[in-house]
């Protein structure tokens, strides 16, 4: 309190002092003000200005008297207040102020015009003085010029800082000579492992909802959770909170997708008791998600707003939702997709499924589901038009289509057409879409035009392949193809083969989809040179073939082929009478017929189903005299998936030549066995009858079998196999003296089929047979 009283007394003294000083200064201020007013009045009188006309706008009323403080009552006894400072003391404290002390006090005031002139003159003087100072010599500190002091201004509002260090005034070094030394920290930065915060996750209250759904909600949450994805580690607590907030929203969405629209999800972070850790005292952190699922909403009514369809119950029979079942998002989306898919398959190409509306009743837990469906006009196929960069015209598109004018529209047939267009390999992009015409097709339907938009791709292709087999050696094959040299789909292919035991050149002209869908016509001309243990040959061949074959995009259940060929070949054969090999020339004219059945799930990598192929080739060989005969062969293979990753496969081949003795057959037309596509563990064409030099000479019948167990993991696979087979002199196989080979293989699965590497050994190896045989190619062995 004392400190406060001294401050209050000092304040009162200052107030009295200021009041008395003001009384002494008042006469002087009044005089100065009077002179200033007289000057302004004279200037105003010199100007003849008409005063503005006053226009009354509002009637004035007498002003109310302003309220003033009420005086104290006459009989009030007020305390006497002693002056804080006496008058004598105050007079002594005021410095004397008079004209004798300062002559400026008696000087008359200058006019405004004179004041402005004087200010302008002083400004011009300062500008001239500044230029002179700038031209003066720059001051130096320690022999170094200091431009910051070059203004020469001795009096500044903020003076220049004194420079006592010459280095501060020195110019900066060039950038290329500037040497930066890295900062050395006294302690190494802590590693990330040292700052990670461990946490655990706990979900409460989800069991009730999880038990009532077909989906494992806990597992679904775990797969999508940010907390679980962090593996229980975070950089800081803020990161844990962010993950926890995201997981809270995720849990809300998961519950809503199963019909729990009133679910309440709360999140928090719990800290446990401090425990002794590697880095000191730490408190374990638990991210907690508390779930209150609430009631599960069910469909009380299903309303589909759509025009009548043909048949009448088309939508209802294909809408897999019913009243009373829970409102599950996946089920609802699937039902709507089913309608959007089914209507175009049943003649409604322009059907559109609208935006659903589900009205929920929180009191009862019921939901009324409403779905608007615009079925559009029921339609039939009409004509075909095409546009864009054309590979072929609309007429050939009609050859590929599996529908004709007047057929009820079916989107599956449109998809089939689109796949057929892609299978030609002539387009970079292609699309097929229905276009309304408004033309009546009868029966309350309209024709639609199929508009095919083409974008032709590069027509030329270079291809190459390589393989290796024991007894067959290395084989490299390359080809050049123009896929649309003779439109539509007239392809020309040149092929070349270079191998250790085979070389050849050939040309093929192929017309795909010739006259009808999936039919191929081809002409072949080729010349080859073969150098095998079984025979040496130089062969020329021309042939024609019509086929209905499978392709990687369109695998067919039934296939067929027929054709004719003319072969001229010079080959060597072992003459048992002479005990030596000698060359002979053969002219062979033959026909070919083949039928096949394919019930497998893949063309290059089947895992289930079976295949059957039968081949018949009536031929006539002219070598001295004409010898007619027939070659017959049947292949059967089957596949069975034991598990998702293990497949067992088996194959059987039986072949026979009827009507001619072995000696009347060209060596290249006989049957052989052994190699990568036959009996693994043996060299190419190694099995069967042999000459005195232990070289194979072929036979008139063959029997082969193979068994494989295929195990796949990812894009890789392992195969164990056992093969068996033999070639016989007789026209029918006796199934005696079968030779066996066993081995193991590796597979690498690609988009165009598996790459195969097999290694095998013969069982009961005989002299002259290799201990190990290796086979490398593309595609499974069968």
């Amino acid at each position: 309190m004392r400190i406060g009283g001294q401050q209050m007394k000092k304040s009162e003294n200052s107030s009295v002092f200021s009041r008395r000083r003001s009384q002494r200064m008042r006469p002087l201020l009044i005089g100065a003000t009077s002179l200033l007013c007289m000057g302004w009045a004279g200037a105003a009188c010199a100007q003849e200005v008409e005063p503005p006309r006053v226009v009354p706008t509002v009637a004035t009323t007498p002003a109310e008297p302003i309220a003033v403080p009420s005086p104290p009552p006459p009989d009030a006894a007020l305390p006497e207040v002693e002056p804080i400072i006496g008058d004598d003391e105050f007079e002594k404290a005021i410095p004397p102020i008079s004209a004798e002390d300062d002559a400026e006090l008696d000087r008359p005031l200058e006019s405004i015009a004179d004041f402005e002139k004087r200010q302008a003159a002083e400004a011009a003087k300062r500008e001239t003085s500044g230029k002179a100072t700038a031209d003066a010599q720059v001051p130096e500190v320690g022999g170094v010029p200091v431009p910051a002091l070059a203004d020469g201004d001795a009096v500044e509002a903020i003076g220049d800082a004194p420079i006592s260090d010459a280095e501060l005034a020195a110019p900066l070094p060039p950038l290329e000579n500037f040497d930066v030394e890295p900062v050395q920290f006294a302690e190494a930065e802590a590693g990330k492992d040292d700052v990670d915060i461990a946490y655990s996750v706990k979900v409460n209250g989800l069991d009730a909802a999880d038990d009532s759904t077909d989906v494992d909600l806990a597992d679904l949450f775990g797969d999508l959770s940010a907390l679980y994805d962090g593996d229980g580690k975070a950089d800081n607590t803020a990161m844990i909170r962010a993950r926890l907030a995201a997981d809270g929203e995720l849990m809300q969405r998961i519950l809503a997708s199963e019909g729990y629209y009133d679910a309440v999800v709360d999140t928090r972070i719990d800290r446990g008791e401090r425990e002794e850790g590697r880095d000191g005292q730490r408190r374990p952190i638990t991210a907690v998600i508390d779930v209150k699922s609430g009631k599960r909403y069910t469909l009380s009514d299903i309303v589909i707003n759509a025009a009548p369809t043909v048949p009448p119950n088309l939508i209802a029979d294909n809408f897999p939702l019913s009243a009373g079942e829970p409102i599950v998002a996946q089920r609802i989306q699937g039902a709507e997709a089913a309608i959007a898919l089914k209507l175009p398959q049943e003649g409604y190409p322009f059907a559109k499924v609208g935006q659903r509306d589900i009205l929920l009743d929180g009191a009862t837990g019921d939901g009324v589901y409403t779905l608007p469906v615009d079925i559009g006009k029921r339609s039939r196929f009409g004509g075909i038009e095409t546009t864009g960069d054309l590979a072929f015209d609309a007429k050939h598109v009609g050859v590929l289509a599996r529908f004709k004018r007047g057929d009820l529209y079916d989107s599956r047939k449109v998809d089939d057409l689109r796949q057929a267009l892609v299978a030609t390999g002539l387009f970079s992009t292609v699309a097929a879409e229905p276009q309304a015409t408004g033309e009546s097709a009868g029966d309350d339907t309209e024709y639609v035009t199929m508009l095919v938009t083409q974008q032709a791709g590069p027509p030329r292709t270079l291809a190459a392949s390589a393989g290796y087999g024991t007894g067959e050696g290395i084989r490299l094959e390359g080809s050049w193809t123009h896929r649309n040299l003779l439109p539509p789909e007239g392809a020309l292919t040149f092929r070349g083969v270079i191998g250790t035991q085979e070389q050849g050149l050939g040309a093929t002209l192929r017309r795909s989809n010739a006259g009808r869908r999936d039919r191929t016509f081809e002409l072949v001309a080729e010349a080859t040179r073969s150098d095998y243990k079984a025979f040496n040959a130089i062969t020329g061949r021309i042939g024609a073939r019509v086929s209905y074959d499978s392709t990687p995009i369109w695998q067919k259940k039934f296939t067929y082929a027929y054709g004719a060929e003319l072969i001229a070949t010079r080959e060597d054969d072992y003459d048992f009478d002479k005990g030596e090999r000698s060359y002979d020339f053969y002219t062979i004219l033959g026909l070919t017929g083949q039928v096949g059945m394919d019930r497998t799930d893949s063309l290059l990598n089947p895992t289930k189903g079976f295949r059957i192929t039968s081949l018949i080739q009536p031929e006539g060989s002219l070598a001295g005299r004409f010898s007619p005969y027939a070659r017959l062969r049947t292949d059967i293979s089957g596949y069975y998936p034991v598990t998702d990753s293990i497949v067992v496969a088996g194959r059987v081949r039986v072949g026979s030549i009827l009507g001619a003795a072995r000696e009347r057959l060209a060596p290249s037309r006989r049957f052989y066995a052994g190699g990568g596509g036959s009996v693994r563990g043996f060299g190419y064409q190694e099995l069967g009858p042999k000459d005195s030099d232990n070289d194979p000479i072929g036979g008139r019948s063959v029997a082969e079998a193979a068994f494989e167990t295929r195990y796949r993991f990812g894009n890789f696979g392992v195969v164990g196999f056992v093969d068996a087979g033999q070639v016989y002199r007789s026209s029918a196989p006796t199934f005696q003296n079968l030779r066996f080979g066993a081995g193991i293989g590796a597979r690498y699965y690609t988009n165009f089929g598996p790459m195969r590497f097999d290694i095998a050994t013969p069982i009961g190896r005989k002299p002259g047979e290799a201990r190990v045989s290796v086979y490398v190619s593309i595609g499974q062995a069968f």
Side-chain angles (χ1 to χ4, degrees):
M1 293 297 295
R2 183 176 181 180
I3 295 177
Q6 291 177 349
Q7 290 179 342
M8 183 178 296
K9 183 177 181 180
K10 183 177 179 180
S11 175
E12 293 174 352
N13 290 340
S14 299
S15 175
V16 173
F17 177 78
S18 298
R19 183 167 59 252
R20 293 183 179 180
R21 184 178 180 181
S22 299
Q23 294 174 357
R24 297 283 303 273
M25 293 290 293
R26 186 176 295 112
L28 295 176
L29 293 175
I30 292 174
T33 303
S34 300
L35 292 175
L36 182 61
C37 291
M38 292 176 63
W40 279 105
C45 292
Q47 300 181 6
E48 297 182 0
V49 180
E50 183 180 357
R53 184 166 55 92
V54 178
V55 179
T57 57
V58 180
T60 58
T61 57
E64 294 289 338
I66 299 175
V68 296
S70 301
D75 55 349
L78 300 177
E80 294 185 3
V81 179
E82 297 181 359
I84 298 175
I85 184 173
D87 293 340
D88 296 338
E89 184 179 358
F90 179 74
E91 292 292 343
K92 291 180 182 180
I94 296 177
I97 300 176
S98 63
E100 292 78 7
D101 298 328
D102 188 355
E104 290 292 329
L105 296 178
D106 286 341
R107 182 178 176 181
L109 293 176
E110 62 183 340
S111 66
I112 298 299
D114 293 339
F115 175 77
E116 292 176 348
K117 290 180 181 179
R118 182 169 59 81
Q119 292 294 329
E122 292 178 357
K125 182 178 179 181
R126 286 196 300 270
E127 182 178 357
T128 303
S129 175
K131 291 181 179 180
T133 304
D135 296 336
Q137 184 178 2
V138 177
E140 298 181 354
V141 175
V144 179
V146 185
L149 302 179
D151 55 2
D153 191 356
V155 179
E156 296 179 333
I158 300 177
D160 294 324
I163 300 177
S164 58
D165 188 351
E167 289 295 329
L168 297 177
L172 294 175
L175 187 60
E176 59 271 12
N177 297 334
F178 188 68
D179 185 17
V180 179
E181 295 183 1
V183 178
Q184 299 294 330
F185 293 96
E187 296 181 1
E189 183 180 0
K192 185 179 185 303
D193 294 339
D194 297 330
V195 299
D196 278 346
I197 298 178
Y199 65 88
S200 59
V201 182
K202 185 177 181 180
V203 179
N204 300 322
L206 186 61
D207 294 341
D210 204 352
D211 294 340
S212 64
T213 63
D214 296 333
V215 179
D216 189 339
L217 299 183
D219 185 64
L220 179 61
F221 175 76
D223 292 340
L224 303 176
S225 166
L227 288 169
Y228 284 118
D229 189 55
D231 294 330
K233 294 181 180 180
D235 291 340
N236 47 55
T237 307
M239 181 178 290
I240 300 176
R241 293 186 184 279
R243 293 175 182 176
L244 182 59
D247 279 6
E249 296 177 0
L250 171 64
M251 182 64 75
Q252 196 84 44
R253 293 195 302 270
I254 290 176
L255 290 170
S257 70
E258 290 295 321
Y260 293 97
Y261 294 100
D262 294 339
V264 177
V265 178
D266 296 323
T267 61
R268 69 179 189 274
I269 291 180
D270 286 350
R271 297 180 180 270
E273 297 295 332
R274 292 187 180 275
E275 59 183 11
E276 197 68 29
R278 183 180 60 184
D279 298 329
Q281 299 288 332
R282 287 187 177 179
R283 298 176 63 186
I285 295 177
T286 303
V288 181
I289 300 177
D290 294 320
V291 177
K292 296 179 181 178
S293 59
K295 67 171 66 70
R296 192 180 192 187
Y297 284 79
T298 59
L299 293 172
S300 61
D301 192 13
I302 298 176
V303 180
I304 298 180
N305 296 324
T309 61
V310 178
N313 295 327
L314 177 61
I315 295 179
D317 292 344
N318 293 278
F319 193 73
L321 285 182
S322 59
E325 66 177 88
I327 303 177
V328 179
Q330 186 175 3
R331 289 267 301 158
I332 291 177
Q333 293 172 352
E336 294 171 358
I339 292 298
L341 181 65
K342 189 63 178 180
L343 286 173
Q345 294 176 356
E346 298 296 332
Y348 296 93
F350 308 111
K352 295 181 180 179
V353 177
Q355 180 63 44
R356 77 183 75 90
D357 179 71
I358 303 178
L359 181 61
L360 301 177
D361 187 343
T364 62
D366 293 336
V368 177
Y369 172 83
T370 303
L371 180 68
V373 178
D374 181 7
I375 64 174
K377 191 66 178 178
R378 193 164 182 254
S379 304
R380 298 182 180 275
F381 287 110
I384 296 176
E385 296 180 359
T386 186
T387 185
D389 184 8
L390 304 184
F392 42 74
D393 57 16
K395 181 179 179 181
H396 191 65
V397 175
V399 172
L400 299 177
R402 295 186 185 274
F403 54 82
K404 61 182 183 295
R405 180 179 175 86
D407 289 347
L408 188 65
Y409 182 89
D410 189 341
S411 61
R412 291 168 293 189
K413 295 181 179 180
V414 177
D415 293 338
D416 175 79
L417 173 61
R418 189 180 297 110
Q419 290 179 353
L421 292 168
V422 171
T424 64
L426 299 179
F427 302 103
S428 57
T429 59
V430 64
E433 298 175 342
Q435 302 291 319
T437 64
E439 180 184 358
S440 175
D443 195 20
D444 197 26
T445 61
E446 292 183 355
Y447 285 115
V448 294
T449 296
M450 291 306 305
L451 178 62
V452 177
T453 303
Q454 305 181 30
Q455 183 62 45
R460 298 170 180 83
T461 301
L462 286 173
S465 62
Y468 173 81
T470 301
E472 189 177 6
I474 299 174
R475 189 176 188 274
L476 304 176
E477 181 175 347
S479 65
W480 175 91
T481 302
H482 192 301
R483 298 191 301 278
N484 203 28
L485 181 65
L486 301 174
E489 295 192 77
L492 177 62
T493 300
F494 292 101
R495 182 177 64 94
V497 177
I498 299 176
T500 55
Q501 296 181 335
E502 180 184 0
Q503 304 83 40
L505 292 173
T508 302
L509 181 63
R510 177 185 293 107
R511 172 82 70 184
S512 300
N513 299 301
R516 61 167 295 184
R517 169 79 175 269
D518 300 327
R519 183 170 64 186
T520 301
F521 172 76
E522 63 181 15
L523 296 174
V524 179
E526 61 183 8
T528 59
R529 177 184 179 276
S530 304
D531 183 11
Y532 299 112
K533 290 184 177 181
F535 60 88
N536 293 331
I538 297 177
T539 304
R541 172 180 173 268
I542 58 174
R545 185 173 183 263
V546 177
S547 64
Y548 181 80
D549 294 325
S550 292
T551 65
I553 292 180
W554 187 257
Q555 185 177 350
K556 303 171 181 64
K557 295 181 179 180
F558 295 97
T559 60
Y560 65 84
Y562 58 89
E565 59 184 355
L566 177 63
I567 301 173
T569 178
R570 181 177 181 270
E571 303 179 5
D572 71 334
D573 189 17
Y574 187 80
D575 189 335
F576 284 90
D577 295 334
K578 297 180 180 180
E580 62 180 15
R581 284 184 172 269
S582 60
Y583 281 89
D584 203 348
F585 188 84
Y586 301 86
T587 302
I588 304 169
L589 177 63
L591 301 177
T592 299
Q594 177 179 305
V595 293
M597 177 186 293
D598 191 344
R599 289 293 190 269
T600 62
D601 59 343
S602 174
L603 187 64
L604 297 176
N605 184 38
T607 59
K608 63 180 179 180
F610 65 91
R611 291 173 180 165
I612 301 176
T613 303
S614 294
L615 173 69
I616 180 171
Q617 293 177 306
E619 296 179 353
S621 177
L622 181 61
R625 62 185 178 88
F626 184 73
S627 300
Y629 58 92
R631 303 176 78 244
L632 307 174
R633 192 187 72 198
T634 298
D635 292 271
I636 302 174
S637 59
Y639 312 88
Y640 179 77
V642 179
T643 66
D644 292 340
S645 56
I646 299 177
V647 175
V648 294
R651 177 184 68 88
V652 174
R653 170 180 289 177
V654 178
S656 179
I657 299 176
L658 305 175
R662 183 185 61 82
E663 292 76 11
R664 303 301 301 169
L665 300 173
S668 61
R669 308 304 291 174
R670 302 168 186 169
F671 284 121
Y672 298 88
S678 178
V679 182
R680 288 164 289 185
F682 299 91
Y684 181 65
Q685 300 179 338
E686 190 174 18
L687 295 180
K690 293 182 172 58
D691 60 16
S692 59
D693 296 328
N694 205 34
D695 292 329
I697 57 176
R700 292 193 297 161
S701 61
V702 63
E704 295 178 0
F707 178 83
E708 286 189 350
T709 299
R710 303 170 181 174
Y711 171 65
R712 178 172 179 174
F713 50 97
N715 290 330
F716 299 91
V718 177
V719 175
F721 56 86
V722 176
D723 294 352
Q726 188 58 275
V727 175
Y728 303 94
R729 294 178 181 269
S730 60
S731 60
T734 63
F735 301 100
Q736 298 178 356
N737 301 319
L738 291 175
R739 299 297 309 278
F740 293 87
I744 189 171
R747 303 289 184 268
Y748 176 70
Y749 295 90
T750 65
N751 292 333
F752 52 85
M755 298 182 65
R756 176 166 65 103
F757 176 86
D758 290 340
I759 182 170
T761 185
I763 298 175
R765 187 175 68 89
K766 296 181 179 181
E769 296 176 346
R771 293 181 180 275
V772 174
S773 298
V774 177
Y775 313 94
V776 181
S777 65
I778 296 177
Q780 298 283 10
F782 57 90

